[in-house]
Amino acid sequence: MFDDLDIFAAVVEQSSLNRASRQLNLSQPALSRKISKLEERLGVTLFNRHGKRLELTEVGRLTYTYALEQRQQRAKFLEAIARFKQGEPLSVALGASLTTLQTTLPPLVNAYMEKYPAAELKLITGKTHEIVTSVREGRSEVGIIASATDEPGLRCIPLFEDQLRLVVAGHHPIAGLSRLEMEHLNGLPMILFSKGTWYRRMTDDLFQRSGVQPDIRMEIDSFEAIIRLLPTIKAAALLPNSYLRPELLSGGGLASLHIKELELTQRTTCLIYRDTGDLSAAARSLVQVTEEVFRAGRPAAL
């Protein structure tokens, strides 16, 4: 039937059985029989015939639209097969948190698409435990999480170490202090991540251990929003060093400050995938590129 749909589409596009028969290298009687058989199988009339002139019926127009869709899908399928034969990856589902999306993924995606421009990267977002579950259950082939995991059945590859830094506007009074301690955060207006997130749990644990109670002005799940709001509301924030690129700080008039106790927030960003040996070619390629990017010491891994 699908070959007959191609023949039908050719007749429509040529607006003539005669011209279509020459294009398809079929005799006109043979072409007429194929169109008649297609109409018989579908149980509809595709053309109104006015002598030698053919006019599409309403269902004929619908059929032609479907024939074009089939032609496009077939072309995509054949292109994908050709890429597969050449060793190129086709499509891979990558799981990552929204915070990872802002810090780790930009250099990785750029490197992957530069090497495999025809590949499709499907992103699945969620919290760290959701990404681990997504990879374990096969919804994501590969995941990037902001901490190590010993989940059974998963392979966990460390990519880089990271820790929190105190970020304020350059003109903030605390930016001029020669030495900062955790007690300087007591009562300090701050923007924190929302409750339930990994970053919030980590900062809450840090505050509890240090006996610090900051003045929480806002709770937001976006690094970008926090960066934009810091100068406006004269607040401070704890953000991962991997996100604090020099151009981001200078462009926003911000300062990244070190506090000794923040070294306790060090964590390892990791790549995870199922340890079953059945990764697709696309997933294997993504794993390879990820290791190359972060072992090369790209800026995001500093």
Side-chain angles (χ1 to χ4, degrees):
M1 174 177 168
F2 293 111
D3 289 339
D4 288 344
L5 284 173
D6 283 336
I7 290 171
F8 163 71
V11 173
V12 174
E13 291 158 359
Q14 294 298 319
S15 302
S16 164
L17 282 171
N18 188 36
R19 285 193 294 269
S21 66
R22 289 199 300 269
Q23 181 193 52
L24 298 169
N25 197 27
L26 283 172
S27 69
Q28 189 168 326
L31 181 56
S32 295
R33 286 195 297 272
K34 285 185 176 293
I35 295 297
S36 296
K37 287 182 179 178
L38 178 61
E39 290 179 318
E40 184 179 335
R41 281 200 296 274
L42 295 175
V44 296
T45 300
L46 300 174
F47 292 105
N48 289 322
R49 293 162 174 82
H50 305 284
K52 293 184 178 181
R53 186 168 63 88
L54 299 177
E55 181 182 272
L56 275 175
T57 62
E58 183 177 354
V59 72
R61 287 191 291 272
L62 176 64
T63 305
Y64 178 59
T65 298
Y66 177 71
L68 291 182
E69 292 172 353
Q70 291 298 314
R71 181 190 291 173
Q72 292 167 355
Q73 288 298 319
R74 185 185 299 113
K76 288 182 180 179
F77 170 71
L78 293 176
E79 181 183 352
I81 290 296
R83 294 202 310 268
F84 179 78
K85 289 180 178 178
Q86 293 168 5
E88 290 191 29
L90 301 179
S91 176
V92 58
L94 170 65
S97 68
L98 291 175
T99 52
T100 301
L101 180 64
Q102 298 175 79
T103 59
T104 307
L105 287 189
L108 170 58
V109 172
N110 287 339
Y112 185 66
M113 299 311 294
E114 282 177 11
K115 191 168 185 178
Y116 303 108
E120 293 183 7
L121 193 59
K122 299 178 181 178
L123 184 63
I124 298 174
T125 61
K127 296 178 181 178
T128 295
H129 71 277
E130 293 171 334
I131 297 305
V132 170
T133 301
S134 177
V135 174
R136 186 183 66 240
E137 295 179 352
R139 296 193 303 276
S140 302
E141 287 189 273
V142 180
I144 297 180
I145 56 176
S147 60
T149 180
D150 56 1
E151 182 81 13
L154 295 185
R155 185 171 183 187
C156 182
I157 301 176
L159 297 179
F160 63 89
E161 300 296 327
D162 202 1
Q163 65 182 55
L164 295 179
R165 301 272 293 189
L166 182 68
V167 183
V168 296
H171 54 74
H172 194 289
I174 204 172
L177 298 180
S178 59
R179 180 181 175 83
L180 285 174
E181 307 285 350
M182 282 298 295
E183 56 210 40
H184 286 107
L185 304 187
N186 205 33
L188 184 71
M190 296 193 72
I191 304 175
L192 300 183
F193 260 67
S194 300
K195 292 181 179 178
T197 60
W198 186 84
Y199 279 105
R200 180 58 182 271
R201 291 196 299 272
M202 183 169 60
T203 53
D204 283 350
D205 288 345
L206 177 68
F207 292 148
Q208 185 176 12
R209 287 197 304 270
S210 304
V212 168
Q213 291 186 338
D215 178 8
I216 302 173
R217 297 293 178 88
M218 288 186 177
E219 297 176 323
I220 305 174
D221 288 346
S222 167
F223 291 152
E224 182 178 357
I226 292 174
I227 287 291
R228 289 178 178 272
L229 287 168
L230 286 179
T232 304
I233 64 174
K234 299 178 182 179
L238 294 175
L239 296 175
N241 192 46
S242 59
Y243 182 67
L244 301 175
R245 301 177 296 277
E247 62 272 17
L248 178 69
L249 294 171
S250 60
L254 302 172
S256 171
L257 309 175
H258 176 70
I259 299 177
K260 179 68 176 175
E261 287 84 353
L262 291 183
E263 295 175 5
L264 298 174
T265 65
Q266 182 166 303
R267 53 89 167 120
T268 305
T269 290
C270 296
L271 176 77
I272 60 172
Y273 55 89
R274 287 196 296 179
D275 195 15
T276 55
D278 60 349
L279 283 179
S280 68
R284 288 196 300 272
S285 298
L286 181 59
V287 169
Q288 179 182 3
V289 171
T290 302
E291 292 181 316
E292 291 172 355
V293 166
F294 292 104
R295 286 177 179 172
R298 294 280 181 99
L302 297 178

